[in-house]
Amino acid sequence: VGSEMCIRDRHWIGKSTGGEIEFKVKDKDVSFRVFTTRADTIFGITYVVLAPESPLVDKVVTKENKQIVEDYKLQCSKINEIERLSSSREKTGVFTGSYAINPINGREVPILVADYVLASYGTGAVMGVAAHDDRDYVFAKKHGLPIERVIRSKDGSPDDLPYTDYGIMCNSGEFDGMTTEEGRVAVIRKLEKEGKGELKTNYRLRDWLISRQRYWGAPIPVIHCPHCGAVPVPEKDLPVELPYNVNFTPDGESPLKKCDEFMNVKCPVCGADAKRDPDTLDTFVCSSWYYLRYVDPKNDKEAFSREKVDKMLPVDKYIGGAEHACMHLLYARFFTKALRDMGYLDFDEPFKSLVHQGTILGPDGQKMSKSRGNVISPDTLIAKYGSDAFRLYLMFGFSYVEGGPWNDKGLESIQRFMDRVERLVCHSRTFSYNNNPLTAAEKNIEYVRNNTIKCVTADTENFAFNTAIARIMEFTNALTDYENKVSDKNAVFKECVEDLVKVLAPFAPHFTEELWEILGNKTTIFNTEFPKVNEKALIKDELELAVQINSRVKAKIVVPSGADKDEIQKIAMDSDEVKALLDGATVKKVIVIPHRLINFVI
């Protein structure tokens, strides 16, 4: 599997090795712990932060600050975790009125509540070291909190604040001079002896809530018996199918719960009256292994045939949004590895490689949404320009993995390009062709043809559709130039036009199917073979070199592709144009760069 998948999954699972440090609250019989991977920065703590939903908040808030904190907690409850953790979002927070005591030096620091701290990760409390954490630095600047250096660079290199790299401890009492690596362990060890801390490992990964209170989904195959508890549905009774007689009145509960014929069953263990589980499985449970079912979708005996799956999988290319890497991809990898361990698969990664597609933004550069009024309707544009023009613009106008803002003028340019291709095809049917030896003009279009085939093949495999289409446009320009300049056309021009249509076919299938018919073909273009590159045609007999005088381009010369420096210099010196440019001047030096240029210094 691609390394990016592993990196993203590791980030989502979020293993952090560090320690927990205990803080006491001043004038209150309350203490709390903070998890940190950088105990070496403990002398730089200038504040601590609690998550708004942490039960500690109610214990430490003072009467004078209670209403402000309550209002802030309500405000935070309306924001989801992803938004709260966003690096681009402004960091907000309020003071509880209480102070915590730093266990390493007894210093009193204010306790704040801030939405960038989550109760579900670590202890729900964070120590604020503004000098050595980007987020803390921004927060301290905004709220006027102290910023105090306790780490400096190891080699004395510039280390403006916030300095977040590993370094040497300073302003840290007995730990001064220790490296970050040494200090973060030594500090915890000291606190451990005093009963104020311990080494610990934390994970961001939490339990996966797989039940949903909705109809659409796989019913949870569990029966709840008052005597036997939760009992699995016997394998002979699987799958549990959804009933059709369901009331969908929205009341916050699962629609299945109101369907008596579905809910009421006998316990498969003791035979007593029992109830089915009214919830359905999260759709991610099913989509986490759908790639296995796709291989064998009509199998009514088992989930999938191991023989077929081992033959066709793993999937060569996974294409999806970046957000899938932390959700669907993580689940799919978990299912695959579990099935591997259980002996159902012979491979341990579901996908060989990963590609994220970019997002097409509105003309204003913002994500499309009805509220912004920047949504582009494909139907209107397809009706005006056609689906192939629309498809070509999507591929040419944007990097596949980056996306970008929409621009209607790009569609107009694509339409003009398609018109030029159509004219080339139609005109090619009206010419008479010779089979004479190739001239320089024909060798040039042969070169462009094979270079186009080579580049389009490689770019398409790499999802670089924009550059692939750019090569096709260059091919079109070369053929148009040949058509306009050469009256007695060689049959190679006809071949090139046919290959132009073929290389364009995957990007504009309907348009090229019609062009293929115009060229006199009776069968579909998609039954033909995609053109193959002729590497010999990419070796030019002659090359065009720039002629510079005192490093400024003044002319061009044509030389044999294998010419050495002396031959290139002689051809240039014999050129009437170059002679006129030198005008008898004394040449002090001649610089020849084969395949590129010759420069006369006078």
Side-chain angles (χ1 to χ4, degrees), residues 361-577:
L361 306 173
D364 56 0
Q366 300 295 316
K367 191 172 182 179
M368 291 188 195
S369 70
K370 291 182 180 178
S371 60
R372 289 196 182 99
N374 64 349
V375 176
I376 299 298
S377 171
D379 295 342
T380 304
L381 295 169
I382 290 173
K384 182 178 180 180
Y385 295 100
S387 61
D388 277 355
F390 187 81
R391 182 184 293 106
L392 274 173
Y393 174 57
L394 285 175
M395 288 186 283
F396 175 67
F398 311 91
S399 163
Y400 184 81
V401 297
E402 294 174 7
W406 182 267
N407 186 340
D408 281 349
K409 290 183 178 179
L411 256 175
E412 295 170 6
S413 298
I414 288 295
Q415 187 177 53
R416 288 195 295 272
F417 160 66
M418 294 173 72
D419 288 343
R420 292 176 61 214
V421 173
E422 185 174 8
R423 283 196 298 272
L424 262 176
V425 169
C426 291
H427 290 174
S428 72
R429 295 283 290 165
T430 65
F431 301 132
S432 297
Y433 296 101
N434 66 63
N435 290 299
N436 298 333
L438 302 186
T439 64
E442 280 111 36
K443 288 179 180 179
N444 179 61
I445 60 172
E446 264 284 68
Y447 174 85
V448 177
R449 167 167 66 161
N450 284 280
N451 187 58
T452 300
I453 294 168
K454 184 174 185 176
C455 292
V456 169
T457 302
D459 288 345
T460 303
E461 289 177 352
N462 293 322
F463 287 73
F465 305 125
N466 52 342
T467 55
I469 294 170
R471 299 291 84 76
I472 296 173
M473 289 178 172
E474 291 172 0
F475 189 19
T476 304
N477 292 341
L479 293 178
T480 301
D481 188 57
Y482 178 89
E483 179 192 0
N484 293 334
K485 292 181 178 179
V486 179
S487 55
D488 187 14
K489 294 176 174 53
N490 192 286
V492 74
F493 174 73
K494 181 181 178 183
E495 295 172 9
C496 285
V497 171
E498 290 179 351
D499 276 355
L500 171 66
V501 177
K502 287 181 181 180
V503 294
L504 183 58
F507 308 100
H510 308 292
F511 176 59
T512 52
E513 189 74 278
E514 289 192 27
L515 297 181
W516 194 241
E517 185 177 334
I518 290 172
L519 287 171
N521 298 287
K522 303 300 182 183
T523 59
T524 174
I525 190 173
F526 296 101
N527 282 342
T528 64
E529 189 176 2
F530 193 80
K532 285 185 170 59
V533 63
N534 176 10
E535 295 287 352
K536 291 181 180 179
L538 296 176
I539 302 173
K540 290 189 173 182
D541 296 332
E542 295 179 326
L543 298 172
E544 191 176 62
L545 303 186
V547 177
Q548 296 181 343
I549 297 178
N550 292 337
S551 298
R552 293 188 176 183
V553 177
K554 296 293 184 178
K556 292 182 179 180
I557 59 172
V558 176
V559 302
S561 60
D564 59 22
K565 291 183 178 181
D566 291 338
E567 290 175 303
I568 293 172
Q569 182 174 336
K570 184 177 186 307
I571 292 170
M573 296 291 287
D574 289 344
S575 166
D576 291 337
E577 186 179 6

Side-chain angles (χ1 to χ4, degrees), residues 74-182:
L74 178 62
Q75 174 187 330
C76 294
S77 68
K78 300 175 182 178
I79 310 169
N80 64 44
E81 288 189 5
I82 294 175
E83 290 176 320
R84 283 172 57 177
L85 292 176
S86 171
S87 59
S88 61
R89 188 172 179 275
E90 184 181 19
K91 303 296 182 287
T92 63
V94 293
F95 180 40
T96 64
S98 292
Y99 292 82
I101 300 171
N102 187 329
I104 202 74
N105 57 13
R107 181 181 182 181
E108 297 175 5
V109 295
I111 303 174
L112 294 94
V113 179
D115 59 2
Y116 71 82
V117 181
L118 303 179
S120 57
Y121 178 64
T123 64
V126 171
M127 62 187 208
V129 187
H132 304 291
D133 182 272
D134 291 323
R135 180 188 59 188
D136 294 347
Y137 183 84
V138 173
F139 187 81
K141 280 282 190 181
K142 182 178 187 298
H143 294 279
L145 297 164
I147 300 172
E148 300 176 5
R149 175 191 290 277
V150 292
I151 304 290
R152 59 178 173 79
S153 64
K154 291 180 179 179
D155 57 6
S157 59
D159 55 358
D160 295 336
L161 298 180
Y163 180 71
T164 59
D165 291 339
Y166 286 2
I168 303 295
M169 295 177 70
C170 60
N171 303 319
S172 300
E174 66 188 90
F175 301 97
D176 278 359
M178 282 191 181
T179 66
T180 290
E181 295 87 343
E182 296 167 338

